[in-house]
Amino acid sequence: MHKQNFITLTLIISGLALSPVVAENIEHRVEVESAPTQTQNQNLSSVTSGISTVLYNRGLEEETANELALALLEGEDEMYLSLLLRTLDAQNIVSREDMLEYLSMAALHKKKLDLKSYDSIVGMVAHITKSRVDAHTLKHLSYLAKVNKQVFV
């Protein structure tokens, strides 16, 4: 019985000594796993605010910039636009900042966007890059437009 008490006491002491180490590792894992989710949620809700921020930085009043950004996205799904921005940025076709610049100029000139159209997406990419769009990029944009038409009809 004395041997069993010694083993139990050793296990309790080791558990108490190692619990801060284990808790620290678990806390670090939770932070690492939750960080992408927070970033994704921020990206989903920040297209309109990104456009209005660019407009505000160019000298418009904050309220006017917000109104123009909302008017630009009227009829467009913001989640769709956010996914399009993320896809084009991930494929290194166009950066998110360049897209927001283009969208802010479109908002400023009160242009209507049809971002589900292949032609519109190619025209936008060509305008942003100020060059011809290569065959590989065209193929990717064609696939993206087809998938988006099926998903967001």
Side-chain angles (χ1 to χ4, degrees):
M1 198 68 171
H2 181 65
K3 198 177 197 180
Q4 187 179 14
N5 287 340
F6 181 73
I7 292 173
T8 304
L9 184 61
T10 305
L11 288 174
I12 290 173
I13 291 173
S14 351
L16 291 174
L18 293 177
S19 66
V21 174
V22 172
E24 193 173 294
N25 285 339
I26 290 172
E27 182 179 321
H28 178 68
R29 280 189 203 152
V30 169
E31 287 175 4
V32 169
E33 290 174 0
S34 67
T37 306
Q38 291 170 354
T39 304
Q40 289 170 354
N41 288 340
Q42 230 175 13
N43 285 340
L44 285 176
S45 65
S46 68
V47 175
T48 304
S49 64
I51 294 169
S52 64
T53 301
V54 170
L55 290 171
Y56 178 73
N57 290 339
R58 288 183 170 215
L60 274 105
E61 293 180 5
E62 187 174 359
E63 186 177 317
T64 306
N66 287 335
E67 289 173 6
L68 287 174
L70 289 172
L72 176 73
L73 296 179
E74 188 177 41
E76 291 291 333
D77 187 7
E78 187 166 354
M79 188 169 86
Y80 164 74
L81 184 58
S82 178
L83 292 173
L84 179 67
L85 287 171
R86 192 175 314 145
T87 302
L88 292 175
D89 191 28
Q91 297 295 326
N92 293 325
I93 296 171
V94 177
S95 72
R96 178 179 174 81
E97 292 78 23
D98 291 340
M99 281 286 295
L100 289 175
E101 283 287 327
Y102 175 83
L103 293 172
S104 68
M105 287 303 292
L108 188 61
H109 296 290
K110 297 182 180 179
K111 292 182 180 177
K112 292 294 178 188
L113 296 177
D114 182 18
L115 296 174
K116 295 174 185 141
S117 164
Y118 170 73
D119 295 334
S120 297
I121 295 172
V122 170
M124 176 182 60
V125 169
H127 185 270
I128 293 171
T129 59
K130 294 180 177 49
S131 64
R132 294 183 63 186
V133 182
D134 63 356
H136 175 71
T137 304
L138 286 173
K139 190 175 188 181
H140 183 73
L141 293 176
S142 172
Y143 176 74
L144 183 65
K146 285 177 187 175
V147 169
N148 289 333
K149 279 186 181 180
Q150 291 173 355
V151 172
F152 294 101
V153 169

